[in-house]
Amino acid sequence: CQRLLDVPASANELMERETEMSRAVFCDCMPPALDGLGRTRRPEMLIGAEAFGALVMREFDVCGAQAVRNTTRRDCAKFTPLNAPPSYCSCFSAAVDDLTDEEIIEDSIASRDNLERRRDARRDSTPEPPLFEGLMTRIDRKCRLPALAQ
């Protein structure tokens, strides 16, 4: 897994973050999660492809939410805006930690869908829908305020 995701370092910070998140989900979290699925089911219990897909997707979503939390805690200083108050990282990390897996998952899906609709609109020369303001954007805006205003 690691070897497949070992790509040359990129000057693009978003690409670097995406690669790191992919490693965290696919290499660190999913293998033990899939092993856990195997241990919780008896071998003679057969399930259909749809049910199996739903179980795997749920684990994938949980791993993604976990990666968001871990990356936020570990790498906050890398994405802290200029002139942010000293409390920015503690505020941001605490707010992300307070989100449920479902909130992170739903926000991620909504953000991705919005970006895809905007891309399609540009491709089709039609008006773009407004940019989705996700949870992370709202948390960022709140945490940029001086500590007393948060």
Side-chain angles (χ1 to χ4, degrees):
C1 179
Q2 200 72 18
R3 192 177 64 223
L4 294 174
L5 291 170
D6 280 340
V7 293
S10 170
N12 181 329
E13 183 182 346
L14 289 176
M15 186 71 124
E16 295 254 346
R17 268 198 226 165
E18 184 177 327
T19 300
E20 188 173 320
M21 292 286 284
S22 293
R23 279 189 190 115
V25 171
F26 293 110
C27 301
D28 300 335
C29 187
M30 282 302 288
L34 293 175
D35 284 345
L37 279 178
R39 283 192 302 277
T40 60
R41 303 193 63 77
R42 294 190 321 264
E44 65 275 5
M45 275 182 72
L46 297 178
I47 61 171
E50 198 169 305
F52 177 74
L55 287 171
V56 171
M57 284 308 297
R58 174 67 187 149
E59 293 301 321
F60 180 78
D61 288 344
V62 169
C63 286
Q66 179 182 326
V68 166
R69 284 190 192 88
N70 291 343
T71 301
T72 298
R73 275 187 232 106
R74 185 185 60 238
D75 296 336
C76 181
K78 290 181 185 177
F79 63 81
T80 298
L82 295 175
N83 301 320
S87 60
Y88 181 85
C89 281
S90 59
C91 172
F92 199 95
S93 296
V96 171
D97 282 343
D98 286 344
L99 298 172
T100 65
D101 288 348
E102 287 71 24
E103 288 172 316
I104 292 173
I105 293 162
E106 288 172 16
D107 187 66
S108 176
I109 291 169
S111 293
R112 184 191 65 232
D113 289 348
N114 177 256
L115 291 174
E116 289 173 357
R117 285 193 311 278
R118 292 171 57 84
R119 178 204 61 211
D120 293 347
R122 282 190 300 273
R123 181 194 64 216
D124 300 338
S125 299
T126 58
E128 289 184 34
L131 185 61
F132 174 74
E133 184 178 276
L135 290 171
M136 300 303 164
T137 301
R138 290 187 298 243
I139 291 170
D140 171 68
R141 187 171 44 247
K142 179 186 116 190
C143 292
R144 285 181 189 231
L145 298 172
L148 295 175
Q150 293 174 10

